[in-house]
């Protein structure tokens, strides 16, 4: 797999034409049915193309409209690198239709809605060796894309760069929504949000009652590059995310040649979902702040590294299954932070911690001061710990003990009860020692 800069991402444009000539509409309209032969189409100046039960080759629309109803659009390998290209303020409405052998490229303030439709790129596509296997690519402009009960399926292409191979959606601007059972199955990355310039608006991705499966990379990746932007991701209503590398969300510049420092903000909001996997920000995205919010019965099982802040709201739960390192964690009211399930013992290291009525659950064997135990290590301010419950592993007759009975939040000796720790003085919650209330 090749790794080059994102400059190549702008190469999704038309190749030099062969002998096949595209039909042109300039401010006019046309209807294609099953009785018509498949042809290429080029639209401009508010032209309108309707394909009803018919087939076409590549479609290019500039400030024009395309309606697909029970239609099939297949890329012409000798002419296009994509099946559909939208520029300017174009509109695409695909209903119960199939787009194959190439993806959809969107540039400008275009809108695209896919209802009961499918985008498929596999090895059978003509000219596959030179093909970017990206389902939908938004390269510039404040585009609006909606998948409603629709799917994207893309395979890897070993001849293409990492960000051009096996990517469900690649988004550098605009808004994308996956709704009502939509599904992305991508051999590499499910959905990639990446920076190519600084924008005055956020890039947003909403996933509601939909699923993303990534074969070898993360379900979601944000690659901010050296540009400063705001990325907002919502995962709600029973959606599922699965990353082949174990990451639900990876903030990393990956294959970008010169990552730099972007000062970008990434917000990941989960509501009413049960997610399993890791959330990671690596050093290539230095300067970016990643904030995670678990709300409204959201449950996350996995590890976190490089997260700036984690907020567990009422009825939200984070269950750790490995050591994690974050900046600040806040647990509100009935939120739960569970350090492990007792099968392994984990350490959570934080810069600071606060709780207003939340619950912290940890596991310990209680076999002495050196017993195996989950640990919470706070290197900075820890003003409020909230309710703490210890799970006594291996003692089914007495499953839970109160922190006041057998556990401790250990402070430097100079600090008294109710005082925050200071930078450089780590406080630790674990088994053994004298208990301290916060």
């Amino acid at each position: 797999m090749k790794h080059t800069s994102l400059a190549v991402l702008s190469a999704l444009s038309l190749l030099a034409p062969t002998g096949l000539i595209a039909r042109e509409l300039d401010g006019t309209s046309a209807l294609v049915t099953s009785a018509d032969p498949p042809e290429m189409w080029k639209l401009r100046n508010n032209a309108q193309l309707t394909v009803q039960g018919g087939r076409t080759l590549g479609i290019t629309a500039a400030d024009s409209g395309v309606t697909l109803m029970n239609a099939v659009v297949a890329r012409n390998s000798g002419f296009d690198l994509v099946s559909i290209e939208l520029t300017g303020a174009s509109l695409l409405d695909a209903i119960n239709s199939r787009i194959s052998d190439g993806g959809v490229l969107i540039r400008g303030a275009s809108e695209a809605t896919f209802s009961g439709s499918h985008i498929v790129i596999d090895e059978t596509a003509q000219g596959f060796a030179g093909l970017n296997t990206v389902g939908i690519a938004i390269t510039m402009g404040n585009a609006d894309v909606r998948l409603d009960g629709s799917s994207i399926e893309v395979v890897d292409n070993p001849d293409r760069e990492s960000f051009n191979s096996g990517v469900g959606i690649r988004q550098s601007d605009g808004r994308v929504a996956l709704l009502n059972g939509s599904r992305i199955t991508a051999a590499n990355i499910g959905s990639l949000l990446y920076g190519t310039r600084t924008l005055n608006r956020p890039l947003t991705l909403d996933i509601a009652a939909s699923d993303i499966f990534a074969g070898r990379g993360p379900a979601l990746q944000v690659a901010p590059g050296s540009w400063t932007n705001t990325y907002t991701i919502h995962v709600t209503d029973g959606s599922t995310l699965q990353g082949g590398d174990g990451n639900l969300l990876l903030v990393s510049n990956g294959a970008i040649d010169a990552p730099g420092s972007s000062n970008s903000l990434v917000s990941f909001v989960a509501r009413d979902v049960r997610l399993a996997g890791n959330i990671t920000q690596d050093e290539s995205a230095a300067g970016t702040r990643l904030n995670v919010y678990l709300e409204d019965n959201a449950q996350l099982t996995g590890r976190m590294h490089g997260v700036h802040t984690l907020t567990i709201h009422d009825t939200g739960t984070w269950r750790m299954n490995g050591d994690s390192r974050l900046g600040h964690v806040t647990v509100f009211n009935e939120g739960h932070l569970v350090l492990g399930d007792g099968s392994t013992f984990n350490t959570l290291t934080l810069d600071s911690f606060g709780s207003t009525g939340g619950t912290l659950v940890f596991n310990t064997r209680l076999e002495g001061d050196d017993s195996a135990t989950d640990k919470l290590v706070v290197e900075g301010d820890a003003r409020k710990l909230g309710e703490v419950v210890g799970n006594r592993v291996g003692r089914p007759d007495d499953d839970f003990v109160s922190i006041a009975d057998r556990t401790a939040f250990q402070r430097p000796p100079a600090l008294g009860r109710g005082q925050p720790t200071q930078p450089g003085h780590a406080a630790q919650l674990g088994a053994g020692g004298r208990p301290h209330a916060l």
Side-chain angles (χ1 to χ4, degrees):
M1 192 65 60
K2 300 177 182 178
H3 296 274
T4 60
S5 72
L6 282 178
V8 299
L9 299 181
S10 61
L12 285 174
S13 57
L14 298 179
L15 295 176
T18 65
L20 186 61
I21 304 300
R23 291 279 303 274
E24 295 191 6
L25 297 177
D26 188 349
T28 57
S29 61
L31 172 65
V32 176
T33 70
S34 59
D36 298 306
E39 298 177 288
M40 294 184 301
W41 291 87
K42 186 173 183 179
L43 288 61
R44 58 177 176 267
N45 296 329
N46 200 32
Q48 303 294 318
L49 175 66
T50 301
V51 184
Q52 186 169 352
R55 302 173 63 93
T56 76
L57 301 178
I59 299 173
T60 301
D63 295 308
S64 297
V66 178
T67 300
L68 307 176
M69 295 182 290
N70 300 299
V72 175
V73 179
R75 175 185 63 94
N76 172 51
S77 62
F79 193 83
D80 297 332
L81 283 177
V82 294
S83 292
I84 298 176
E85 181 176 1
L86 306 177
T87 61
S90 293
L91 298 176
L92 169 64
D93 192 6
I95 304 168
N96 298 326
S97 295
R98 180 182 175 91
I99 299 164
S100 64
D101 295 348
V104 177
L105 171 63
I106 302 175
R107 297 183 293 181
S110 296
E111 298 181 16
T113 301
F114 303 85
S115 304
S117 295
H118 310 283
I119 300 172
V120 180
I121 309 176
D122 60 25
E123 298 90 341
T124 65
Q126 296 183 20
F128 180 77
L131 181 63
N132 293 334
T133 53
V134 177
I136 297 175
I138 305 171
T139 62
M140 63 181 66
N142 194 21
D144 194 340
V145 175
R146 292 169 57 91
L147 277 72
D148 189 345
S150 296
S151 68
I152 298 173
E153 184 175 351
V154 291
V155 300
D156 257 327
N157 187 340
D159 292 330
R160 308 306 296 164
E161 303 80 7
S162 178
F163 285 179
N164 283 328
S165 173
V167 179
I169 297 177
R170 196 181 61 212
Q171 176 185 0
S172 65
D173 203 341
R175 302 169 300 280
V176 173
L178 277 65
L179 310 170
N180 300 321
S182 292
R183 182 186 182 98
I184 294 176
T185 304
N188 183 13
I189 302 168
S191 186
L192 169 66
L193 296 85
Y194 70 97
T196 57
R197 62 202 178 284
T198 296
L199 303 172
N200 60 2
R201 53 186 174 266
L203 287 80
T204 64
L205 172 63
D206 294 331
I207 305 166
S210 297
D211 307 309
I212 295 180
F213 298 92
R216 60 183 176 87
L220 308 175
Q221 181 170 348
V222 177
S226 58
W227 308 94
T228 297
N229 286 299
T230 298
Y231 303 85
T232 303
I233 301 169
H234 292 90
V235 184
T236 64
D237 301 319
S239 295
T240 60
L241 305 175
Q242 180 177 314
D245 64 355
N247 286 304
L248 303 176
L249 171 63
L250 174 64
V251 180
S252 171
N253 286 316
I256 300 176
D257 289 339
S261 180
S262 71
N263 295 317
S264 288
L265 174 63
V266 179
S267 297
F268 178 87
V269 182
R271 298 191 185 102
D272 193 22
V273 290
R274 285 179 169 83
L275 302 175
N278 305 325
I279 296 179
T280 305
Q281 177 175 323
D282 69 21
E283 294 181 357
S284 73
T288 296
R289 290 170 296 148
L290 169 58
N291 297 331
V292 176
Y293 303 87
L294 302 180
E295 305 174 352
D296 299 338
N297 297 307
Q299 297 184 23
L300 170 64
T301 300
R303 294 172 291 160
M304 295 194 202
H305 288 280
V307 174
H308 183 253
T309 65
L310 165 65
T311 303
I312 304 175
H313 285 278
D314 300 356
T315 67
T317 301
W318 176 30
R319 301 180 186 277
M320 290 172 48
N321 61 7
D323 294 346
S324 297
R325 172 101 196 203
L326 293 81
H328 178 77
V329 172
T330 300
V331 185
F332 285 104
N333 298 331
E334 297 184 22
H336 285 74
L337 171 54
V338 183
L339 300 186
D341 62 5
S343 61
T344 60
F345 296 96
N346 307 313
T347 298
L348 173 59
T349 304
L350 307 174
D351 294 336
S352 57
F353 180 88
S355 176
T356 57
T359 300
L360 172 66
V361 180
F362 74 102
N363 300 282
T364 184
R365 289 196 181 278
L366 291 180
E367 296 171 349
D369 287 350
D370 60 350
S371 298
T373 184
D374 293 325
K375 295 179 182 179
L376 170 63
V377 178
V378 183
E379 297 181 338
D381 188 0
R383 291 181 180 272
K384 295 181 179 180
L385 194 62
E387 180 181 357
V388 180
V389 176
N391 181 8
R392 185 181 297 183
V393 177
R395 292 288 301 274
D397 58 324
D398 187 10
D399 289 339
F400 290 94
V401 294
S402 164
I403 187 173
D405 295 330
R406 299 291 181 91
T407 63
F409 191 84
Q410 299 164 352
R411 295 182 176 280
L415 293 180
R417 184 176 180 133
Q419 292 180 289
T421 60
Q422 301 299 319
H425 297 280
Q428 177 173 301
L429 172 68
R434 183 178 177 182
H436 294 260
L438 294 181

